[in-house]
Amino acid sequence: MNEKQVEKSPRILTLVKGIIKENPLFVTLLGTCPALATTTSIESALGMGLLFMFVLIGSNIVISLLRKITPSEVKIPVYIVVIATFVTIVKMFSQAYLPELYSKLGVFISLIVVNCIVLGRAEAFASKNGVFDSFLDAIGNGIGYTLAIVIIAFFRELLGTGGFTFGKTLTFIPYIKFTPLKDYAISMFTMPTGGFLVLGVVLAFLAYRTNKKQEIEAFKEKEARRLSKEEAK
Amino acid sequence: MIVTFILAIINGMLVDNVILSRFYGICPFLGVSKKTNSALGMGVAVVFVIVLATLITWPLYHFVLVKAGIPYMDTITYILVIASLVQFVEMVIKKYSPSLYKALGVYLPLITTNCAVLGVAQGNTDQGLTFLMSLSNALGTSLGFLLIIVVFSCIRTRLEASNVPKCLKGVPIALITAALMSLAFIGLNGMINI
């Protein structure tokens, strides 16, 4: 491996880590409130994810810039004020340019302030790393979170309404309504119940996969040990 | 008026429950509901902070922020009020009732990031509720939180002992149980019209 690759790989790792390996919703189980409340349709989940990503990027950059002059006693209040400022910006922006999204998400835009992921990334990453790394970390985590809530919303919208509707909340994309399974829709999935159920099943599926992987690895290790023992004989 | 007040409390507590239908405070709901004692402690602390926060933020919004022409600063103001309130409550309890502090101490700092507190404060002013209705909303919401988290912790202690498939252990089965509870609570929909 040449020097350039060694230098580059941690950066890419910072970006990719948040998407799958340390997905903020599925792995660390943070930010569950908006993940359940705003996932009745793919569109509102996407909108929430984008607003969330903007707040995360902004707050990570500013906190990283301030990391050397922030006294450690007032760390958390400083973070909260920075985050709340970005949330207010996002709130006013969506109120002006995306009124449908604003009314659909309602109080959950303000609640990005208390989303543990933003504060968590500020405390765990941005307060210790440089501006560019914090920026990458924010993008990775933002994409990871958006992806996670879109997955939940995909199942909830498909099962709850029998198809997908676009262009209703995010008005800048063209209006498409595609509901082939309308007669078989289970409206329970667009209700709160569906949110809990889908998140529970998705988490169970992920746990199942991790368990399986661990089992296979344990089996391989055992085999390798057995083989080496036989060879020694 | 008293009837409306009481009805609003019951509405917030049972019909429009914070956790099961409005999705506020899922993080502590999943995190602190493993033991009934800690669930009770968390619930009581949340009731305390939500009611106090409403008592402070409502006048602050209507008599300071609106008068000063900066109502858009509400989120920043509320979160600062809540954070300092939590700190203040922690100090007061520590000074005057060490036994209560021992019981609630660990849960108090967690409340700052509980969305139920900010959600109630923000919702009250967003919907333009009167002071009395805000107070009943705060009481109903927080009592609903207390009720559900305690009931859920009882179910969870039973779940720990039962034979659950390996992949469902822990949080997944808890979420599915919450889904069933929420399904049961849908039955109360439309019971109260205010």
Side-chain angles (χ1 to χ4, degrees):
Chain A
M1 217 188 271
N2 60 37
E3 217 168 279
K4 210 175 176 186
Q5 262 178 318
V6 176
E7 206 183 298
K8 225 177 166 184
S9 61
R11 284 253 155 102
I12 292 170
L13 207 71
T14 317
L15 181 68
V16 178
K17 210 170 55 182
I19 300 178
I20 294 168
K21 208 173 167 196
E22 284 174 26
N23 189 298
L25 180 63
F26 289 151
V27 179
T28 47
L29 259 184
L30 294 176
T32 34
C33 309
L36 294 173
T38 63
T39 52
T40 45
S41 72
I42 290 188
E43 268 197 305
S44 56
L46 201 62
M48 181 71 200
L50 292 178
L51 297 183
F52 172 80
M53 193 143 82
F54 178 80
V55 173
L56 188 57
I57 292 172
S59 69
N60 251 15
I61 289 177
V62 171
I63 287 163
S64 166
L65 282 172
L66 294 175
R67 73 185 187 280
K68 284 187 184 132
I69 53 165
T70 316
S72 62
E73 295 86 20
V74 291
K75 228 165 43 175
I76 301 291
V78 169
Y79 297 164
I80 287 180
V81 172
V82 170
I83 295 166
T85 310
F86 278 102
V87 169
T88 308
I89 294 171
V90 157
K91 203 167 120 184
M92 290 164 91
F93 171 80
S94 60
Q95 198 170 8
Y97 293 103
L98 299 163
E100 284 86 4
L101 185 70
Y102 179 78
S103 62
K104 184 102 193 255
L105 297 180
V107 77
F108 281 93
I109 298 180
S110 312
L111 289 184
I112 298 177
V113 179
V114 284
N115 193 317
C116 324
I117 300 170
V118 188
L119 201 62
R121 288 333 287 174
E123 170 72 30
F125 200 92
S127 61
K128 293 175 194 128
N129 290 285
V131 176
F132 188 63
D133 281 331
S134 306
F135 173 69
L136 287 181
D137 180 70
I139 289 189
N141 274 285
I143 293 175
Y145 189 69
T146 310
L147 199 70
I149 58 176
V150 167
I151 288 172
I152 296 173
F154 171 81
F155 289 115
R156 283 185 74 184
E157 195 177 0
L158 179 66
L159 295 169
T161 63
F164 303 102
T165 315
F166 292 104
K168 217 168 152 194
T169 338
L170 296 174
T171 36
F172 54 82
I173 44 179
Y175 183 80
I176 304 166
K177 199 175 177 186
F178 178 68
T179 50
L181 301 170
K182 208 179 164 195
D183 299 338
Y184 306 99
I186 312 163
S187 62
M188 186 192 86
F189 278 95
T190 50
M191 285 187 210
T193 316
F196 285 114
L197 199 62
V198 171
L199 183 61
V201 172
V202 170
L203 286 178
F205 174 72
L206 291 174
Y208 176 76
R209 275 198 43 200
T210 332
N211 286 346
K212 202 104 195 196
K213 243 186 223 164
Q214 277 170 356
E215 266 171 34
I216 290 172
E217 258 163 42
F219 180 74
K220 268 185 191 161
E221 225 169 74
K222 220 172 151 190
E223 276 292 299
R225 225 180 293 144
R226 196 175 60 87
L227 281 175
S228 65
K229 235 183 214 173
E230 268 179 16
E231 265 173 36
K233 269 180 195 170
Chain B
M1 204 169 71
I2 292 169
V3 176
T4 332
F5 186 73
I6 292 169
L7 275 180
I9 291 180
I10 296 173
N11 182 52
M13 203 172 153
L14 296 173
V15 182
D16 201 10
N17 188 279
V18 251
I19 296 171
L20 297 177
S21 72
R22 281 191 281 170
F23 295 126
Y24 294 168
I26 307 281
C27 300
F29 173 63
L30 290 174
V32 199
S33 63
K34 274 182 191 147
K35 281 193 195 117
T36 310
N37 277 344
S38 48
L40 197 66
M42 182 74 185
V44 171
V46 165
V47 173
F48 208 58
V49 174
I50 286 186
V51 173
L52 265 181
T54 306
L55 281 177
I56 294 173
T57 54
W58 196 91
L60 201 62
Y61 180 80
H62 286 272
F63 299 125
V64 179
L65 293 180
V66 173
K67 287 272 156 68
I70 46 167
Y72 55 84
M73 292 292 278
D74 52 356
T75 312
I76 300 182
T77 317
Y78 293 169
I79 190 71
L80 284 178
V81 166
I82 291 165
S84 38
L85 193 67
V86 168
Q87 202 102 83
F88 175 71
V89 167
E90 198 180 338
M91 286 187 321
V92 168
I93 294 180
K94 200 174 180 180
K95 180 94 178 22
Y96 291 104
S97 168
S99 57
L100 188 65
Y101 179 74
K102 236 183 190 170
L104 299 184
V106 237
Y107 310 111
L108 282 167
L110 287 177
I111 295 175
T112 314
T113 53
N114 184 336
C115 10
V117 186
L118 185 63
V120 168
Q122 187 82 49
N124 283 340
T125 45
D126 280 358
Q127 291 162 20
L129 298 178
T130 60
F131 185 63
L132 206 64
M133 286 308 282
S134 299
L135 203 60
S136 66
N137 184 22
L139 262 175
T141 307
S142 52
L143 288 175
F145 183 86
L146 174 66
L147 176 77
I148 295 300
I149 199 168
V150 169
V151 170
F152 191 66
S153 68
C154 297
I155 299 178
R156 247 183 125 171
T157 38
R158 295 292 292 269
L159 276 178
E160 292 287 312
S162 55
N163 189 12
V164 181
K166 201 181 162 198
C167 63
L168 283 173
K169 255 187 193 139
V171 177
I173 192 72
L175 279 167
I176 292 169
T177 315
L180 293 176
M181 271 172 93
S182 142
L183 196 62
F185 270 72
I186 289 176
L188 296 171
N189 259 357
M191 195 172 77
I192 294 172
N193 286 318
I194 305 173

